[in-house]
Amino acid sequence: MARIVQKFGGTSVGTIDRIHTVAGRVRAEIDRGNEVAVVVSAMSGETNRLVELCTRASPVYDAREYDTIVAAGEQVSAGLLAIVLQSMGIQARSWLGWQVPVRTEDHHGKARIREIDTRELLTRMAQREVPVIAGFQGVTDRARISTLGRGGSDTSAVAMAAALQAERCDIYTDVDGVYTTDPRIVRKARKLDRITYEEMLEMASLGAKVLQTRSVEMAMKHGVRVQVLSSFEDRPGTLVVGEDEIVEQEVVSGIAYSRDEAKITLVKVPDQPGVAARVFGPLADRGINVDMIVQNIAADHPGATDLTFTVGRSDLDRAVQVIGSLKDQLNYQHLVPDGSVVKVSVIGVGMRSQFGVAQKMFSTLAENGINIQVISTSEIKISVLIAERYTELALRALHTAYGLDASG
Ligand code: ADP
Ligand code: ASP
Ligand code: MG
């Protein structure tokens, strides 16, 4: 007998029919003699609807109330799946974050899980009851409902698998695994049988929303075996594994993109010590993350430099406000915001020992007439910022250039 956590995403529980389908997957595991705990997302579209209600109520809102509202979607799907399982003769019970409890920090809207008390769940599972746990939510020490950030039920599932010492955490979604790039954009994307934690972490943090970044971090830290697979088709999915379990390392194993990017250029900032600190300090103080940075000497203006950097798209207005309010202090000529950029990244652990990987990216983009605005690199990834209208062209061209296209 093995203990398994099954997580079903929004599309997988999007209708009552689909809830019946996923209940069949729960039953199949039980029939194999396994002990199962289930984690569910809200029905697809529901969390967006709740977020919108929240912002319509007031554009500036209390994050604690935001969490109360947006956590509601998972309550409904957990209850529905429990009812459907019961109708099939399976003992099942829904659990909200506070009932387990899943204890989190009180950073509302993006809380981290601190610990999960599994005692009651384990007792019930030993009595062959299936817990259906609402993902995405927890409870703070002040007894408030918290949520884990968008896509957070992946993290709920992996954390649950770690806490329950489960043999596997199966993430059921609307694609049948992790692909070399988003299969909804590149038709020739290829499914990966295995991917390393490290690569998956980069893919997720650089935009591949198939797994929430924190869920991969947590899986890596606790050695949870994660499998991504389809809730609609019976096919093997993708296993996320340690580097030692991969025999042949690809130079580039995947390409990710993120539209959640915006660029700000400060034109003609004095080229003096301390400028970067004066620009980035106030942004950090307001919780605005700066990602890519490039500084260029303004050729026609000695002693001045153009400073370009990126922030999350939803932070653009606030960042412009902050920098705008410091115009006199910073003494720049003008500021150019651009919300229509995308970050495209190629990722692969094999890159460490290969030359020419970046060059191939730059020349491929050049051949397609795509201008690179900012570049950043690490040991296992290269990211470039380009105009958003080239997203699909860039992804397809790079996918072909790195030999990732599926045959046939
Ligand atoms: P769920 O609701 O099940 O959590 P998500 O929508 O959060 O599902 O994640 C699945 C989606 O991730 C897919 O529909 C796909 O468009 C997208 N995706 C992006 N990059 C990849 C990738 N490299 N491999 C697979 N899916 C990807
Ligand atoms: N329902 C939440 C969201 O849409 C959590 C999740 O689906 O993982 O972000
Ligand atoms: Mg998701």
Side-chain angles (χ1 to χ4, degrees), residues 7 9-10 173-175 177-179 181-184 203 208-210:
K7 180 256 170 174
T173 183
D174 57 1
V175 284
V178 178
Y179 279 69
T181 191
D182 190 342
R184 300 199 188 283
M203 291 270 275
K209 67 167 185 169
V210 59

Side-chain angles (χ1 to χ4, degrees), residues 2 59 82 155 160 163 177 203 241-242 247 256 297 314 320 335 339 360:
T155 303
M160 196 55 76
M203 291 270 275
V241 296
V247 190
I297 298 299
S314 55
V320 168
L335 176 161
K360 182 172 276 182

Side-chain angles (χ1 to χ4, degrees), residues 24-150:
R25 302 224 171 256
V26 177
R27 178 160 61 191
E29 282 304 344
I30 293 171
D31 290 348
R32 277 183 213 121
N34 292 331
E35 224 176 52
V36 184
V38 179
V39 174
V40 287
S41 292
M43 297 169 93
S44 54
E46 185 60 11
T47 311
N48 286 347
R49 190 183 73 87
L50 296 170
V51 171
E52 202 205 313
L53 283 178
C54 193
T55 38
R56 271 174 45 206
S58 164
V60 184
Y61 46 75
D62 182 328
R64 286 160 291 197
E65 301 313 331
Y66 166 93
D67 276 352
T68 303
I69 297 161
V70 302
E74 273 71 12
Q75 174 162 347
V76 174
S77 49
L80 289 172
L81 179 54
I83 288 179
V84 171
L85 287 168
Q86 288 169 0
S87 75
M88 293 162 62
I90 295 167
Q91 284 183 68
R93 184 62 63 209
S94 64
W95 292 82
L96 300 180
W98 64 267
Q99 290 173 306
V100 174
V102 175
R103 296 203 179 280
T104 74
E105 290 167 354
D106 58 7
H107 183 7
H108 284 278
K110 207 158 179 51
R112 279 180 182 273
I113 296 177
R114 275 208 343 252
E115 58 173 357
I116 300 179
D117 186 342
T118 53
R119 281 171 298 182
E120 186 63 21
L121 295 183
L122 284 169
T123 308
R124 306 247 192 151
M125 285 165 78
Q127 295 160 357
R128 309 199 63 74
E129 186 175 293
V130 176
V132 184
I133 301 149
F136 183 50
Q137 54 174 268
V139 63
T140 69
D141 285 345
R142 298 174 190 199
R144 304 299 323 174
I145 292 172
S146 53
T147 64
L148 312 181
R150 297 305 305 269

